[in-house]
Amino acid sequence: MSAETLVKGYDTLRRELAARDRGLREKVMSLDEAARLVSDGDHVAIGGCTLSRTPMAMIWALIRARRTGLTVSRSITSTEGDLIFASGLGKKIVTSWFSQGIVWGISKVMRHHVEKGLAEFDEWSHMAMGLRYRAGGMGIPFMPVRSMVGSDVARIRADEVKPVRCPFTGDEVMALPALNPDVALIHVQRADAYGNAQLDGLQFMDIDIAMAANKVILTTERIVSNDQIRRAPDHTRIPFFTVEAVVEVPYGSVPHECYGQYEPIFAQLDNYAALTSKDPIAGVKTYLDEFVHGPKDWAGYLDMVGLETLLTASRRGRVIFND
């Protein structure tokens, strides 16, 4: 799937928008029900960034639902990318960086799949990813930039970016193709039943992703009343009319972190790194079998992580609110 096939024309975007139910209605459902909103082969955007606010519970549910052939886009990709490739959930990831994290180094699982031709890693600059989502949210087919002109990223993506002349100055700029995902998966600290979502901490590219996507699946640490949302309207970043599903999933980013709620579960990430360091393929399969396919449900997975571990992560994550 090239950049051109990811770009949707204005008429297509208008038809999709007109077909959506944008009414103020309750959209609360389970992880399994939300997973049914994603079809094989969809372009799915993932909110958050690296280890922050990754919608891990929703990705976990999609793997268990045996979805396949997804094109996945994200600002920066971490361990969720390994699980997406190794499970067969996705065969292409569009992102600016793909690594378990600075501490653990470049993903050996990603290298295996890409170097063996089993999957694709489309690398863009971080700014380019953000501006592509911004273009998608604005309903325009491309975004002109200077930042990639003359770069190796532009050279590698030569079939997907186009040099254009500014009609006002005659200067040459680079046209980045818009990203309009079929579905966006975004994890937030709180949302009401209608899908009005409030974010604490860095917003990353989530607002543009929500506006660019045809539909949004929200997972949230807790569902709050609409009255509470209205008491702090300036904190509402994602509006209800973009959202198709709201799933209450406490610890929905574990083993990653959720700002102000809990820090990463480093023991789990260290364990995963140790498994994949020895043998990337056998290691990630062991992890998937034990922690994704093994538990009865998400609560069962959290039981495996451990109550004491979760409480410690929560205590450390909430220290930012201490006086």
Side-chain angles (χ1 to χ4, degrees):
M1 186 180 289
S2 68
E4 286 83 356
T5 58
L6 288 180
V7 177
K8 296 182 179 180
Y10 182 72
D11 288 344
T12 299
L13 293 174
R14 288 294 302 171
R15 282 196 302 271
E16 290 180 349
L17 182 63
R20 278 201 331 239
D21 179 359
R22 290 169 286 159
L24 189 69
R25 59 183 175 84
E26 292 196 3
K27 302 163 186 174
V28 179
M29 61 184 70
S30 68
L31 282 172
D32 290 342
E33 289 170 329
R36 298 189 193 111
L37 299 175
V38 179
S39 301
D40 292 346
D42 274 351
H43 169 200
V44 175
I46 297 176
C49 185
T50 323
L51 296 177
S52 296
R53 275 197 305 100
T54 310
M56 291 298 288
M58 196 64 238
I59 295 168
W60 182 90
L62 288 173
I63 294 172
R64 287 165 61 96
R66 306 292 181 179
R67 293 292 176 273
T68 61
L70 302 184
T71 292
V72 176
S73 61
R74 195 183 189 201
S75 59
I76 295 179
T77 300
S78 183
T79 50
E80 78 286 348
D82 285 9
L83 305 183
I84 288 166
F85 275 171
S87 67
L89 177 63
K91 292 299 183 184
K92 180 174 183 176
I93 293 181
V94 183
T95 188
S96 66
W97 195 61
F98 195 144
S99 173
Q100 183 175 347
I102 295 171
V103 176
W104 301 276
I106 297 298
S107 166
K108 293 183 178 180
V109 175
M110 176 273 288
R111 288 195 59 182
H112 170 85
H113 281 82
V114 173
E115 291 172 4
K116 299 292 184 182
L118 303 173
E120 296 179 66
F121 165 27
D122 272 14
E123 183 179 11
W124 294 75
S125 74
H126 190 64
M127 179 176 284
M129 290 300 299
L131 292 176
R132 293 185 70 191
Y133 288 130
R134 175 67 58 87
M138 293 172 66
I140 56 177
F142 67 90
M143 181 71 75
V145 300
R146 294 184 187 273
S147 64
M148 284 177 56
V149 175
S151 71
D152 281 344
V153 176
R155 177 180 57 80
I156 293 169
R157 306 255 74 86
D159 293 336
E160 299 166 280
V161 297
K162 308 294 183 184
V164 295
R165 290 285 174 189
C166 172
F168 303 106
T169 66
D171 293 344
E172 183 176 285
V173 293
M174 192 73 71
L176 300 179
L179 282 173
N180 286 103
D182 298 304
V183 187
L185 313 178
I186 300 175
H187 188 70
V188 300
Q189 284 88 355
R190 59 196 169 277
D192 66 16
Y194 307 122
N196 293 298
Q198 296 189 337
L199 294 172
D200 298 328
L202 296 175
Q203 300 164 15
F204 303 114
M205 301 176 184
D206 290 9
I207 298 172
D208 287 324
I209 289 173
M211 296 302 291
N214 187 42
K215 55 189 170 187
V216 176
I217 298 174
L218 282 182
T219 55
T220 180
E221 290 295 313
R222 60 193 178 106
I223 293 176
V224 300
S225 70
N226 182 253
D227 287 341
Q228 181 170 337
I229 293 291
R230 289 173 183 267
R231 282 196 291 271
D234 55 314
H235 289 181
T236 303
R237 306 301 183 202
I238 298 173
F240 73 90
F241 55 79
T242 67
V243 175
E244 187 73 15
V246 180
V247 187
E248 188 173 45
V249 193
Y251 295 101
S253 286
V254 168
H256 294 186
E257 64 96 18
C258 184
Y259 177 86
Q261 303 294 312
Y262 44 87
E263 67 174 17
I265 310 298
F266 290 106
Q268 179 100 167
L269 295 171
D270 285 339
N271 174 50
Y272 175 79
L275 285 171
T276 54
S277 178
K278 296 173 185 175
D279 185 330
I281 303 312
V284 72
K285 182 180 184 303
T286 297
Y287 186 89
L288 285 167
D289 289 343
E290 182 175 358
F291 292 105
V292 178
H293 298 297
K296 178 183 177 182
D297 51 25
W298 183 252
Y301 165 69
L302 295 179
D303 283 342
M304 297 176 72
V305 175
L307 178 60
E308 183 177 352
T309 298
L310 294 172
L311 291 177
T312 299
S314 294
R315 185 176 65 253
R316 292 174 175 171
R318 292 169 184 162
V319 74
I320 59 170
F321 298 119
N322 293 348
D323 292 331

